[in-house]
């Protein structure tokens, strides 16, 4: 048995889904968190599955999420529908309910957020509402797990009895009524053929739903009949076809709510939200407040908590590495295997794992900001600026996270409603300079721009953003032509973040990261270790040898970078190891030049000029992200070819930009 969960955005679908299935799907006080349908078994009911669908306001909807939901209900034919309705916003939510009822499927209405409604002295006459709508209604509070058991019992019962809605007609007499009646007759046989009720087909046809019209295969004659009926309705009601049907539905909803709903007093939550918004989305204060909040989050993550924890973890890993190292030496293990374990696996996986605390801490703060409802406001405030480069406000948060680390940033694009916006944002994230590149900047600016570090860093960050903006402009004119999804997100009330959903989000991200560290990064480090320690005849060589495969690869690549001014094989090799993680650029240079990090700046002055240092910096800023990010991109794009395309494309952009900068620098310096 398959039960579909359908409702408006932010009505509590995922919260209910988690309660019923025991899953840990991500709940957020942010419309559009669920972007694909998610299926899971219902706890305590064998052979029953529940499907969480993206939130929609109406069956007719052209955005990606609207299509997912609508197609799911029509094509997959679930046995029953749970329509979840936000009781504090009942009028707007019932619009979708009326459309769902037309589908003629067994359906139960779950009236959610009853705790909030009752807390503000509101109430709903459940029996009367059920009678008026012709479907069972169950009051629940998904967050407090109230009424959830009753709900699922009733849903299973309704599905077993195949009990259809008792009423599908929401208007009596009048032009709309007549029109629906006529059209229903015309499409009746066709609708039966594709397995939808004729009443549903009729309203979809009147509302000019292209997909349904095509599927029905109406003859020209029938189309003409329908058009005639619709035009008659438009003239008589003095409304266009969509407005006429919407008007009919809203009239019905208004009448039902008059009878059944006692509105809550101006809710405390609403009043509080309005007050907070006076400051946080204020015309002048919005952006400074936002910068202050994000500055605080990044400071806490990268300076105060996260970095410190990372350092401790790195110390722990170092200590373990050293102990294993000593133990292996004492044991007298074959030196090559020994080197594989210590220089390959421990160094590679260990250095990546030490980033775990940063990820956890960053997501702790972001989960809180999101769950309170603040991120919805940020997206709202930034929308105007981002629209200029063909994106919408929702792309903002993922791009911002990109300054910390591309991996969670790319994962965060899942919250974007349309594929176009999501892919475009995903491609731009690597241009936001991630924190792992900071060591590269630090070493090179110390060597070539002493006392001007701040300015150079700022220019690099701005440079990345500018290239991102140009790329966005080009992409939105070519590959991603079209417009970003209109931004009709409503602002949810501010809520206290729930500890459970914050912890769940942290765990989800941490687990993702750990898995990657032990799979793809593990493999990558072993390969790099191999390339660094063997020559082309597979003889073992010292790690700084010029005969290792890696060095040969570096020398082989050197001509590619000659036009950019840094043809030294060691620099090229370090860029290759930078694929593993950006920090590796500096550690590789250290190994290959046989100096510690302190002396590296001086050593680099020997192989780079100021001019080539600039182009090296620009290349390092823009070229392909590390394997962790690439594997995340692959997961999100779900295509190896496209991922390779992204990587190659980014390297080309980096090369070109570095070349231009190198030439320009030649004119100035
Ligand atoms: P979805 O977008 O429909 O999947 O909604 P979510 O499940 O992500 O929930 C949206 C927000 O509503 C979250 O902040 C939840 O914590 C909150 N929420 C869900 N159910 C209830 C409820 O019964 N009462 C209250 N007060 N809040 C709820
Ligand atoms: Mg959801």
């Amino acid at each position: 048995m398959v039960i579909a969960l359908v409702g408006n955005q932010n009505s509590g679908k995922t919260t209910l889904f988690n309660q019923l299935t025991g899953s840990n799907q991500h709940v957020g006080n942010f419309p559009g968190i669920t972007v694909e349908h998610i299926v899971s078994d219902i706890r305590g009911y064998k052979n029953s599955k529940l499907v969480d669908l993206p939130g929609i306001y109406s069956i007719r909807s052209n955005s990606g999420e609207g299509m997912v939901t609508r197609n799911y209900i029509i094509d997959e034919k679930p046995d029953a529908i749970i329509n979840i309705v936000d009781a504090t916003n009942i009028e707007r939510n019932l619009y979708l309910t009326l459309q769902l009822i037309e589908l003629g499927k067994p359906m139960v209405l779950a009236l959610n957020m009853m705790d909030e409604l009752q807390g503000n002295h509101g109430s709903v006459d459940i029996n009367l509402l059920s009678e008026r709508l012709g479907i069972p209604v169950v009051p629940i509070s998904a967050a407090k797990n109230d009424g959830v058991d009753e709900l699922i019992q009733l849903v299973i019962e309704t599905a077993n009895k195949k009990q259809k809605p008792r009423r599908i007609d929401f208007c009596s007499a009048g032009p709309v009524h007549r029109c629906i009646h006529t059209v229903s007759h015309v499409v009746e046989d066709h609708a039966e053929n594709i397995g939808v009720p004729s009443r549903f087909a009729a309203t979809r046809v009147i509302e000019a739903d292209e997909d349904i019209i095509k599927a029905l295969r109406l003859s020209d004659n029938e189309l003409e009949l329908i058009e005639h009926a619709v035009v008659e309705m438009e003239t008589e009601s003095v409304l266009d076809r969509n407005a006429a049907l919407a008007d009919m539905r809203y009239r019905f909803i208004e009448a039902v709510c008059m009878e059944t709903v006692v509105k809550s007093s101006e809710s405390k939550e609403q009043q509080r939200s309005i007050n907070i918004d006076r400051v946080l989305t204020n015309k002048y204060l919005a952006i400074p407040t936002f910068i202050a909040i994000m500055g605080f989050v990044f400071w806490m993550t990268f300076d105060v908590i996260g970095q410190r924890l990372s350092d401790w973890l790195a110390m722990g890993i170092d200590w373990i590495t050293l102990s294993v190292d000593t133990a292996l030496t004492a044991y007298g293990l074959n030196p090559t295997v020994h080197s594989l374990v210590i220089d390959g696996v421990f160094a590679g996986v260990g250095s990546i794992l030490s980033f775990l605390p940063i990820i956890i801490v960053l997501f702790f703060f972001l989960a809180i900001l999101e769950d309170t409802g603040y991120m919805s406001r940020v997206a709202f405030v930034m929308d105007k600026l981002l629209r200029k480069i063909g994106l919408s406000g929702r792309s903002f948060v993922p791009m911002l996270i990109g300054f910390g680390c591309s991996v969670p940033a790319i994962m965060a694009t899942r919250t974007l409603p349309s594929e176009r916006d999501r892919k475009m944002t995903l491609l731009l994230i690597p241009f936001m300079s991630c924190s792992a590149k900071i060591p590269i900047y630090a070493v090179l600016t110390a060597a070539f721009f002493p006392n001007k570090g701040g300015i150079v860093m700022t220019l690099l960050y701005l440079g990345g953003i500018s290239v991102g903006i140009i790329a966005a402009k080009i992409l939105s004119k070519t590959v991603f032509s079209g417009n970003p999804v209109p931004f009709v997100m409503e602002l949810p009330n501010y809520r206290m973040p729930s500890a459970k959903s914050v912890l769940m989000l942290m765990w989800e991200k941490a687990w993702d990261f750990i898995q990657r560290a032990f799979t793809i990064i593990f493999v990558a480090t072993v390969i790099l270790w191999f390339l660094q320690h063997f020559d082309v005849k597979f003889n073992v060589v010292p790690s700084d040898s010029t005969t290792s495969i890696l060095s040969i690869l570096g020398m082989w690549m050197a001509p590619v970078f000659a036009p950019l001014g840094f043809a030294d094989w060691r620099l090229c090799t370090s860029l290759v190891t930078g694929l593993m993680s950006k920090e590796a650029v500096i550690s590789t240079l250290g190994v290959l030049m046989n100096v510690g990090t302190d002396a590296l700046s001086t050593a680099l002055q020997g192989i780079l000029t100021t001019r080539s240092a600039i182009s090296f910096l620009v290349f390092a800023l823009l070229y392909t992200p590390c394997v962790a990010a690439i594997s995340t991109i692959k997961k999100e794009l779900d295509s190896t070819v496209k991922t390779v395309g992204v990587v190659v494309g980014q390297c080309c952009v980096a090369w070109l930009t570095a070349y231009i900068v190198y030439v320009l620098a030649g004119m100035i310096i």
Side-chain angles (χ1 to χ4, degrees):
M1 183 178 289
V2 178
I3 294 162
L5 201 49
V6 188
N8 284 190
Q9 292 183 340
N10 234 23
S11 57
K13 290 180 301 303
T14 306
T15 312
L16 179 62
F17 180 84
N18 287 345
Q19 295 284 13
L20 286 173
T21 62
S23 324
N24 293 333
Q25 290 300 331
H26 177 30
V27 171
N29 196 6
F30 189 100
I33 289 285
T34 313
V35 283
E36 54 210 3
H37 73 260
I38 299 162
V39 189
S40 185
D41 293 329
I42 301 175
R43 255 200 299 216
Y45 292 86
K46 276 197 196 126
N47 304 324
S48 300
K49 290 197 184 312
L50 188 65
V51 184
D52 187 17
L53 291 162
I56 51 171
Y57 293 110
S58 141
I59 294 254
R60 179 197 171 78
S61 173
N62 295 326
S63 69
E65 58 211 327
M67 296 299 269
V68 171
T69 302
R70 163 183 170 289
N71 291 349
Y72 187 88
I73 305 170
I74 295 175
D75 300 338
E76 308 287 321
K77 307 204 188 326
D79 298 285
I81 296 173
I82 298 179
N83 173 216
I84 183 160
V85 162
D86 176 354
T88 62
N89 227 327
I90 196 161
E91 278 102 339
R92 196 201 58 213
N93 278 242
L94 283 180
Y95 191 84
L96 177 65
T97 308
L98 296 197
Q99 291 189 316
L100 290 172
I101 288 175
E102 285 178 355
L103 281 164
K105 288 224 177 306
M107 174 167 152
V108 173
L109 191 148
L111 198 56
N112 192 29
M113 315 242 182
M114 284 305 281
D115 56 321
E116 207 170 304
L117 184 77
Q118 282 163 349
N120 296 300
H121 316 291
S123 66
V124 177
D125 184 335
I126 302 291
N127 293 332
L128 191 58
L129 182 64
S130 165
E131 195 186 306
R132 289 287 181 266
L133 293 173
I135 52 172
V137 176
V138 186
I140 65 165
S141 167
K144 304 217 153 71
N145 204 10
D146 277 349
V148 173
D149 295 334
E150 291 85 335
L151 171 69
I152 194 62
Q153 264 168 28
L154 192 65
V155 172
I156 301 272
E157 204 181 295
T158 310
N160 279 333
K161 285 199 261 171
K162 299 201 190 320
Q163 183 190 322
K164 296 193 171 158
R166 287 188 302 278
R167 126 175 243 170
I168 49 164
D169 203 357
F170 300 107
C171 52
S172 50
V176 178
H177 184 78
R178 279 197 297 279
C179 179
I180 295 178
H181 211 72
T182 314
V183 178
S184 292
H185 274 300
V186 178
V187 300
E188 201 166 3
D189 297 342
H190 300 271
E192 206 170 300
N193 286 341
I194 61 167
V196 297
S198 57
R199 159 99 197 179
F200 173 76
T203 53
R204 307 269 24 91
V205 169
I206 297 172
E207 288 181 308
D209 185 326
E210 294 294 339
D211 293 346
I212 301 280
I213 294 178
K214 230 182 259 158
L216 287 171
R217 297 165 178 277
L218 297 161
S219 70
D220 288 346
N221 207 352
E222 286 161 332
L223 284 171
E224 212 168 291
L225 263 171
I226 291 169
E227 188 59 24
H228 183 76
V230 173
V231 171
E232 198 171 277
M233 170 187 79
E234 287 181 322
T235 353
E236 279 180 47
S237 64
V238 213
L239 289 167
D240 78 25
R241 52 199 73 191
N242 289 314
L245 286 197
D247 180 67
M248 175 272 284
R249 294 197 183 103
Y250 277 123
R251 269 172 208 267
F252 178 82
I253 292 170
E254 209 175 303
V256 170
C257 288
M258 281 273 278
E259 281 183 303
T260 59
V261 181
V262 177
K263 277 238 174 96
S264 53
S265 48
E266 167 89 308
S267 104
K268 288 191 295 287
E269 284 85 355
Q270 256 162 353
Q271 195 49 51
R272 193 179 57 200
S273 289
I274 292 168
N275 285 336
I276 299 176
D277 270 338
R278 266 197 203 123
V279 180
L280 292 186
T281 58
N282 174 288
K283 209 157 101 195
Y284 304 104
L285 291 179
I287 292 183
T289 319
F290 169 71
I291 293 173
I293 291 179
M294 288 324 288
F296 176 76
V297 168
F298 280 130
W299 178 67
M300 289 299 274
T301 308
F302 292 104
D303 290 329
V304 183
I305 313 178
Q307 191 60 54
R308 200 155 298 171
L309 290 177
S310 274
D311 291 345
W312 286 345
L313 189 63
M315 262 157 62
I317 293 171
D318 278 352
W319 182 79
I320 295 173
T321 311
L322 194 70
S323 316
V324 175
D325 196 3
T326 326
L328 292 182
T329 314
Y331 179 71
L333 189 73
N334 172 302
T336 311
V337 180
H338 184 154
S339 159
L340 169 64
V341 174
I342 300 300
D343 305 334
V345 177
F346 271 79
V349 175
S351 74
I352 296 288
L353 272 190
S354 65
F355 283 101
L356 190 59
I358 291 192
I359 301 234
I360 292 180
V361 173
L362 183 62
F363 273 95
F364 169 76
F365 286 112
L366 291 177
I368 289 182
L369 287 185
E370 186 195 295
D371 215 27
T372 51
Y374 180 63
M375 281 308 186
S376 304
R377 270 79 183 175
V378 172
F380 173 75
V381 170
M382 292 297 165
D383 185 57
K384 237 191 236 150
L385 293 174
L386 284 168
R387 211 155 274 283
K388 294 202 173 113
I389 58 166
L391 286 171
S392 85
R394 293 187 200 222
S395 306
F396 186 73
V397 175
M399 299 222 272
L400 186 80
I401 301 173
F403 286 109
C405 176
S406 308
V407 174
I410 293 163
M411 293 196 257
T413 58
R414 261 178 242 170
T415 57
L416 299 181
S418 91
E419 277 294 281
R420 173 195 171 276
D421 295 9
R422 194 168 79 89
K423 293 200 167 140
M424 200 165 141
T425 310
L426 191 149
L427 293 182
L428 297 181
I429 285 171
F431 293 123
M432 309 298 129
S433 175
C434 81
S435 63
K437 292 178 184 165
I438 292 174
I440 311 181
Y441 306 156
V443 171
L444 271 104
T445 47
F448 296 95
F449 306 98
N451 308 326
K452 293 201 198 82
I455 301 174
V456 176
M457 293 268 208
T458 313
L459 285 177
L460 281 169
Y461 275 94
L462 291 179
I465 297 171
S466 316
V467 174
I469 291 174
I470 296 168
K473 277 266 185 201
I474 295 173
L475 285 175
S476 67
K477 292 257 150 55
T478 54
V479 194
F480 297 107
S481 57
N483 287 319
V485 167
F487 198 57
V488 283
M489 183 159 93
E490 85 203 70
L491 300 179
N493 283 343
Y494 285 101
R495 290 201 166 93
M496 274 310 276
S498 102
K500 192 174 158 210
S501 78
V502 171
L503 289 177
M504 232 141 65
L505 186 73
M506 278 164 62
W507 166 244
E508 192 185 291
K509 301 291 169 191
W511 182 233
D512 235 49
F513 190 78
I514 294 172
Q515 274 177 324
R516 242 197 328 270
F518 283 101
T519 51
I520 184 147
I521 292 171
F522 178 82
V523 173
T525 51
V526 171
I527 294 175
L528 271 171
W529 171 86
F530 176 81
L531 297 178
Q532 196 180 359
H533 288 83
F534 285 82
D535 67 11
V536 280
K537 296 196 177 111
F538 295 121
N539 292 310
V540 181
V541 295
S543 59
D544 58 348
S545 163
T546 49
T547 53
S548 71
I549 304 178
L550 190 63
S551 314
I552 291 172
L553 223 72
M555 287 179 220
W556 181 69
M557 277 178 13
V560 178
F561 295 104
L564 306 185
F566 50 91
D568 191 280
W569 72 272
R570 286 164 294 198
L571 290 168
C572 302
T573 311
S574 75
L575 288 175
V576 177
T577 51
L579 282 180
M580 194 175 86
S581 75
K582 296 294 163 197
E583 295 88 345
V585 171
I586 289 306
S587 58
T588 308
L589 280 175
V591 172
L592 295 180
M593 304 192 69
N594 245 330
V595 290
T597 317
D598 319 333
L600 189 59
S601 293
T602 336
L604 282 174
Q605 286 169 348
I607 54 170
L608 280 170
T609 61
T610 306
R611 188 176 161 208
S612 57
I614 297 175
S615 81
F616 186 80
L617 276 172
V618 170
F619 190 84
L621 166 74
L622 299 174
Y623 88 120
T624 182
C626 62
V627 276
I630 296 173
S631 74
T632 317
I633 292 178
K634 175 164 180 292
K635 190 166 165 221
E636 295 300 324
L637 287 182
D638 202 17
S639 149
T640 312
V641 180
K642 282 186 195 155
T643 310
V644 172
V646 170
V647 171
V648 172
Q650 245 152 14
C651 290
C652 293
V653 170
W655 194 95
L656 266 179
T657 318
Y659 181 69
I660 295 170
V661 170
Y662 185 63
V663 171
L664 288 180
M667 294 173 187
I668 300 165
I669 299 170

